[in-house]
Amino acid sequence: MQKIEIGVEGMSCASCVGRIEKALVDESGVSAAQVNLATGRATVEFDQPATPAALVNSIKNAGYQPRVQSVEIPVTGMTCGSCVSRVERALNKQPSMIKASVNLTTQKAFVEFLSDALSLPRIHQAIRDAGYEPQEPDTSTHAEEQDKEGIDLRRKVIFAAALTIPVVLIAMGKMIPALEALYASVLSHRGWMAIEWLLTTPVLFYAGSRFFRSGYAELRHANPGMNSLVMIGSSAAYFYSVAALLVPGFFPAGTAESYFEAAAVIVTLILLGRYFEHIAKGRTSEAIKKLLQLQAKTARVIRDGEVVEVPIEAVVPGDRIQVRPGERVPVDGVVEEGQSYVDESMISGEPVPVAKQKDAELVGGTINKNGSLTFRATRVGADTVLAQIISMVESAQADKPPIQELADRIAGVFVPVVIVLAILTFITWFSFGPAPALSFAFVTTVSVLLIACPCAMGLATPTAIMVGTGKGAEMGVLFRKGAALETLARMDTIVLDKTGTLTRGRPELTDFILVEGREDEVLAWVAAVETESEHPIGEAIVKDARDRGLRLPAVSDFQAEPGYGVQAQVAGHRINVGADRYMRRLGIDLASVADSAVSLAEKAKSPLYVAVDGRLAALIAVADPLKDGSVEAVAALKATGLSVAMLTGDNRATAEAIARQAGIERVLAEVLPDQKAAEVKRLQEDGARVAFVGDGINDAPALAQADVGIAIGTGTDIAIEAGDVVLMRGDLRGIVDAAALSRRTRKTILGNFVWAYGYNLALIPVAAGVLFPFTGYLLNPMLAAGAMSLSSVFVVTNSLRLGRFKSDSRDFAASNVSESGAALASVS
């Protein structure tokens, strides 16, 4: 039986207490729950099946907010997937831990825990007990301060190389017959061994001290990892050589040989590999660095009638800010004065500047191109769009996709297995190997330990996820979860919401067919009548008239008949606007426009009729048109083999007309908003892997139900919690970009794993000497160390290739424009 306390916010009365207690007791495994309104805490007794995460969800579902703290903790000493697995196990054992995720690439642990029941010092201690060292976040902005690890590695690589090269030269000289006599004339064999000892010792215990510190901690906690393998392998070579130098008579004849060069080269090569790996891993976070560089440092604020330059932290909502040509917009806001063009490519991926004038929204981090603007700050600090983008990208990079969780579990048992294999290798060679058996056993054992370091396994996924999510942000595609970047690649069905996703989401006047009178005059009369109406179709007519610059006359005697139409007196004329049934009731003949009305209806346009003084004057059509790029996006998705369906609450006739225009054959129509999630679930039950695309607000249940939820956002409204992926532009071609990037990322991850596991599976037997009976070849420990380091560097550089990914959705659209046009023509 376990007991924990959970802080709860939002309680106000005894009924709140009752609801929370009931929600907790109903949770599987909970035996008792008591909630104290005064202290704002719930005390829960539960058996093992119940988890803090489940209890937190129960409180949230009851309508209250549990006190949960999320913290990012830098951790030093992690070098491979087994390190990640050990730290995660140690953290998740904490009784009030909700979630713990460790990222090898960023060297950080992301923990979410019950703040009333668990403290940061306890979490830090758990990390230390696992053999690693938690750090306080580094707030320094100086480049060298941020790269202490790289500077230290570079210095130690240079130091180690300077001492290792002479050791290697001495070892080579003793093995080359032409030089052996020369060496012997200078010093005895043991004299040269002594020099090797003096040179190798600082390489191991100064330059390679990190391996011994971390390796000892891993072994002390019975959790061997990569550092343990390096420590055991290099120290075995070192102490074997020291013993051969000091007490050569102890060894069987012919086995008292020196392996100082192997120990020195092992440490030097692994340090060099770690340095190259550090440089490459640094490049995987370029996206975050670029986004941080977009943040302005100061703002020109108007205070007391004067422009004052203040630090960005001093800006508050409501401040009036001036932005000159060429300057970066410091925070989000709304234009009050001036006109200009603003480069918003950092939020939309589109290079064309956007016109800005009074009441237009500005996004912090964008660049004002040519005019001066004065705007009022609306969002500052962590609330700005740029801050939200950075937060989303960081969150996605910290997320652990399913394939990585599997890799971490494998890495967690891999190192102990390797140590067992190394022991078996030693026993086998020592017992059955040819003379000198001890030398053969020693070389093969050290090679097995070094070749099997699982660094590449731990780096295979997080490096690809980091580069992929960063590239997505550059393209206007935000992956809120790293898992979505992998999962989206496996989808076979894309379900698109209609209104606001496929279409623009607002009615527009599409056709005006004049029967009698002058077009501008009739339209002005109709728009004047519709100013009195609250119907969205009326708003579309009024907007079109105003966009044309028409002057709307005064209206009197306005009357509306729901389901039929409206009537009013305008400029001395009686104006009637409405559906066909309204006109027939008024006795107005519609035969002259009957064919046009049918044609418009087939195109998903709503026909309206205008009568002036009892005579038919015009046929108007209003529709919610497809967004630019929707047809091309659907065609591109279908071309990649995906099944595309449309989901809408509209009537079937209208839905099918829109679907024909978009090139979609499968239509789910007349679906109520609360039934959309059920429709997605039905598709999943039929075996489909579904990605649902919606506006992120009304479609939240369907987005959550889908295997991957893709929310349509805009540059100024991206904080959409329901979706796993957010398209920062309304253009559906972003789905094509997201899917293509997802497939490329998953391919990269799988390639990394094929290399990482294939490398180990292929070379461990070679290191153990399986080729020796056939070829007489044994893998040198120095080559084993070099191969291990190169394996990690290969995986990281392979992931960095994602940074060169380019979307071909626009190229696809261009090459298919004629085909799309022909398709539309045939529908028309």
Side-chain angles (χ1 to χ4, degrees):
M1 186 72 67
Q2 298 183 35
K3 180 188 290 187
I4 63 170
E5 287 191 348
I6 306 174
V8 183
E9 296 176 353
M11 296 187 295
S12 58
C13 61
S15 61
C16 300
V17 170
R19 278 194 294 274
I20 296 172
E21 287 181 346
K22 183 178 185 304
L24 291 171
V25 171
D26 288 345
E27 188 65 39
S28 174
V30 173
S31 57
Q34 290 185 336
V35 178
N36 189 312
L37 180 62
T39 60
R41 290 186 178 185
T43 303
V44 186
E45 294 182 5
F46 61 96
D47 298 322
Q48 197 60 39
T51 64
L55 301 177
V56 164
N57 288 332
S58 295
I59 295 173
K60 287 181 178 178
N61 292 336
Y64 302 89
Q65 187 60 45
R67 282 197 286 273
V68 173
Q69 187 173 353
S70 299
V71 179
E72 177 182 293
I73 305 172
V75 180
T76 60
M78 297 188 299
T79 55
C80 62
S82 59
C83 301
V84 170
S85 180
R86 276 191 297 278
V87 176
E88 285 186 349
R89 280 203 304 269
L91 291 173
N92 284 315
K93 283 180 182 177
Q94 301 303 303
S96 299
M97 183 66 65
I98 298 171
K99 179 183 178 183
S101 176
V102 179
N103 190 306
L104 176 63
T105 308
T106 60
Q107 296 282 293
K108 291 178 181 177
F110 299 84
V111 295
E112 187 176 4
F113 59 96
L114 298 174
S115 53
D116 284 44
L118 188 60
S119 64
L120 271 177
R122 280 182 60 188
I123 294 174
H124 285 182
Q125 189 57 49
I127 295 172
R128 290 191 187 95
D129 290 343
Y132 304 91
E133 190 60 35
Q135 303 290 320
E136 293 298 326
D138 186 2
T139 57
S140 171
T141 58
H142 194 274
E144 288 192 359
E145 287 297 315
Q146 290 183 329
D147 198 31
K148 289 178 181 178
E149 173 77 359
I151 293 170
D152 182 62
L153 275 170
R154 184 171 65 245
R155 184 175 63 248
K156 288 188 175 178
V157 165
I158 294 171
F159 175 85
L163 296 182
T164 299
I165 291 172
V167 174
V168 173
L169 292 175
I170 293 171
M172 289 175 60
K174 291 187 295 182
M175 293 185 292
I176 300 173
L179 296 177
E180 190 174 9
L182 176 63
Y183 273 51
S185 65
V186 177
L187 277 177
S188 66
H189 180 71
R190 294 189 67 191
W192 286 114
M193 285 180 66
I195 292 176
E196 290 180 77
W197 182 19
L198 293 174
L199 294 172
T200 301
T201 300
V203 173
L204 253 67
F205 301 110
Y206 169 67
S209 59
R210 63 179 60 216
F211 303 123
F212 287 84
R213 283 197 305 269
S214 299
Y216 172 72
E218 290 170 358
L219 293 176
R220 184 163 56 89
H221 293 96
N223 281 314
M226 174 197 162
N227 293 299
S228 306
L229 299 182
V230 176
M231 180 185 74
I232 294 171
S234 59
S235 58
Y238 176 83
F239 289 111
Y240 183 101
S241 303
V242 171
L245 171 64
L246 299 180
V247 285
F250 175 78
F251 294 86
T255 62
E257 294 295 330
S258 166
Y259 291 96
F260 284 121
E261 78 282 359
V265 171
I266 286 167
V267 170
T268 302
L269 283 178
I270 294 176
L271 279 174
L272 182 62
R274 188 73 62 81
Y275 178 60
F276 286 149
E277 184 183 300
H278 173 84
I279 294 172
K281 284 197 298 186
R283 290 178 56 199
T284 64
S285 58
E286 282 298 311
I288 292 293
K289 293 177 184 176
K290 288 178 181 177
L291 289 171
L292 290 171
Q293 289 168 2
L294 294 176
Q295 294 177 320
K297 302 296 186 292
T298 61
R300 294 169 53 82
V301 180
I302 302 174
R303 290 181 178 165
D304 299 326
E306 294 186 2
V307 177
V308 181
E309 190 163 317
V310 302
I312 195 69
E313 295 80 12
V315 178
V316 296
D319 276 345
R320 296 182 74 240
I321 301 171
Q322 186 184 86
V323 186
R324 296 174 296 192
E327 291 184 336
R328 199 174 289 280
V329 177
V331 295
D332 297 357
V334 177
V335 176
E336 292 189 339
E337 298 174 17
Q339 294 183 344
S340 183
Y341 283 87
V342 175
D343 179 358
E344 295 188 336
S345 58
M346 72 97 172
I347 60 164
S348 67
E350 295 290 351
V352 180
V354 180
K356 298 291 182 180
Q357 53 192 356
K358 184 175 171 57
D359 296 330
E361 291 192 350
L362 294 176
V363 177
T366 57
I367 300 173
N368 183 29
K369 299 298 288 186
N370 47 21
S372 180
L373 294 173
T374 301
F375 72 96
R376 176 173 46 82
T378 56
R379 291 187 292 262
V380 302
D383 296 327
T384 64
V385 168
L386 180 58
Q388 292 175 32
I389 292 174
I390 293 172
S391 176
M392 281 189 183
V393 174
E394 287 179 332
S395 176
Q397 292 183 346
D399 191 42
K400 192 185 295 294
I403 194 170
Q404 179 62 28
E405 292 178 354
L406 174 62
D408 289 347
R409 286 198 297 271
I410 293 173
V413 299
F414 185 79
V415 173
V417 169
V418 167
I419 292 176
V420 171
L421 288 175
I423 294 171
L424 291 175
T425 298
F426 182 89
I427 293 172
T428 302
W429 277 96
F430 188 73
S431 303
F432 306 105
L438 181 60
S439 291
F440 283 114
F442 172 75
V443 169
T444 52
T445 301
V446 172
S447 295
V448 168
L449 289 170
L450 295 175
I451 204 74
C453 290
C455 303
M457 297 180 193
L459 295 170
T461 299
T463 51
I465 292 294
M466 289 185 72
V467 179
T469 51
K471 189 64 184 178
E474 289 180 19
M475 297 163 55
V477 179
L478 290 180
F479 290 89
R480 292 187 61 246
K481 300 176 181 177
L485 191 58
E486 178 203 343
T487 308
L488 182 58
R490 296 186 283 111
M491 296 300 100
D492 53 36
T493 303
I494 302 288
V495 178
L496 303 170
D497 179 51
K498 181 181 80 68
T499 305
T501 301
L502 269 171
T503 66
R504 295 178 183 172
R506 58 183 185 278
E508 296 180 5
L509 181 63
T510 58
D511 299 84
F512 191 98
I513 302 172
L514 190 68
V515 178
E516 284 188 4
R518 292 186 296 113
E519 181 174 320
D520 283 354
E521 185 176 53
V522 174
L523 179 57
W525 292 344
V526 175
V529 174
E530 294 293 351
T531 57
E532 302 294 319
S533 170
E534 296 180 353
H535 198 283
I537 289 179
E539 293 177 7
I541 296 171
V542 173
K543 181 180 183 299
D544 188 79
R546 286 178 172 160
D547 288 346
R548 296 190 189 193
L550 301 181
R551 180 178 173 277
L552 307 187
V555 178
S556 62
D557 300 329
F558 175 83
Q559 297 178 18
E561 294 189 50
Y564 286 89
V566 294
Q567 173 183 300
Q569 290 291 324
V570 180
H573 299 280
R574 187 179 81 254
I575 309 297
N576 297 90
V577 185
D580 53 354
R581 56 183 174 274
Y582 185 41
M583 295 294 125
R584 284 194 291 270
R585 198 176 74 176
L586 296 174
I588 296 173
D589 184 13
L590 305 178
S592 61
V593 293
D595 291 342
S596 297
V598 171
S599 176
L600 292 171
E602 289 176 347
K603 298 175 186 176
K605 298 178 180 180
S606 302
L608 296 174
Y609 302 86
V610 179
V612 178
D613 296 329
R615 293 173 59 85
L616 183 65
L619 171 63
I620 296 176
V622 176
D624 181 8
L626 290 171
K627 289 180 179 178
D628 294 337
S630 291
V631 174
E632 294 84 353
V634 170
L637 291 169
K638 291 166 67 176
T640 60
L642 291 167
S643 172
V644 182
M646 186 182 80
L647 183 65
T648 180
D650 279 354
N651 66 73
R652 180 159 293 277
T654 302
E656 289 182 347
I658 288 289
R660 282 197 300 273
Q661 292 180 29
I664 298 174
E665 290 82 23
R666 187 173 187 179
V667 180
L668 305 171
E670 300 176 6
V671 179
L672 297 176
D674 58 351
Q675 296 174 345
K676 289 183 178 180
E679 287 294 323
V680 171
K681 186 175 182 180
R682 185 174 62 80
L683 290 172
Q684 292 170 323
E685 289 172 347
D686 290 340
R689 293 191 293 268
V690 180
F692 180 81
V693 188
D695 63 14
I697 301 171
N698 298 328
D699 300 314
L703 287 164
Q705 175 64 44
D707 297 284
V708 176
I710 303 176
I712 297 290
T714 66
T716 54
D717 181 24
I718 63 155
I720 299 172
E721 294 297 323
D724 304 309
V725 183
V726 178
L727 303 183
M728 296 174 64
R729 307 189 295 270
D731 192 334
L732 286 188
R733 284 172 291 197
I735 304 173
V736 183
D737 296 343
L741 178 60
S742 177
R743 286 192 296 272
R744 180 72 64 82
T745 303
R746 188 166 187 268
K747 182 179 178 182
T748 300
I749 291 171
L750 292 175
N752 287 346
F753 275 123
V754 167
W755 172 265
Y757 287 105
Y759 155 87
N760 278 288
L761 291 174
L763 292 187
I764 287 177
V766 174
V770 72
L771 297 180
F772 183 81
F774 311 103
T775 64
Y777 173 77
L778 282 181
L779 186 66
N780 190 297
M782 293 185 288
L783 293 178
M788 184 272 290
S789 297
L790 287 175
S791 175
S792 299
V793 174
F794 172 86
V795 164
V796 177
T797 51
N798 186 49
S799 298
L800 288 172
R801 292 170 57 238
L802 281 169
R804 298 199 297 269
F805 173 83
K806 290 184 179 179
S807 166
D808 57 1
S809 62
R810 300 301 189 277
D811 297 335
F812 181 92
S815 65
N816 285 273
V817 68
S818 58
E819 180 183 337
S820 300
L824 281 172
S826 66
V827 174
S828 303

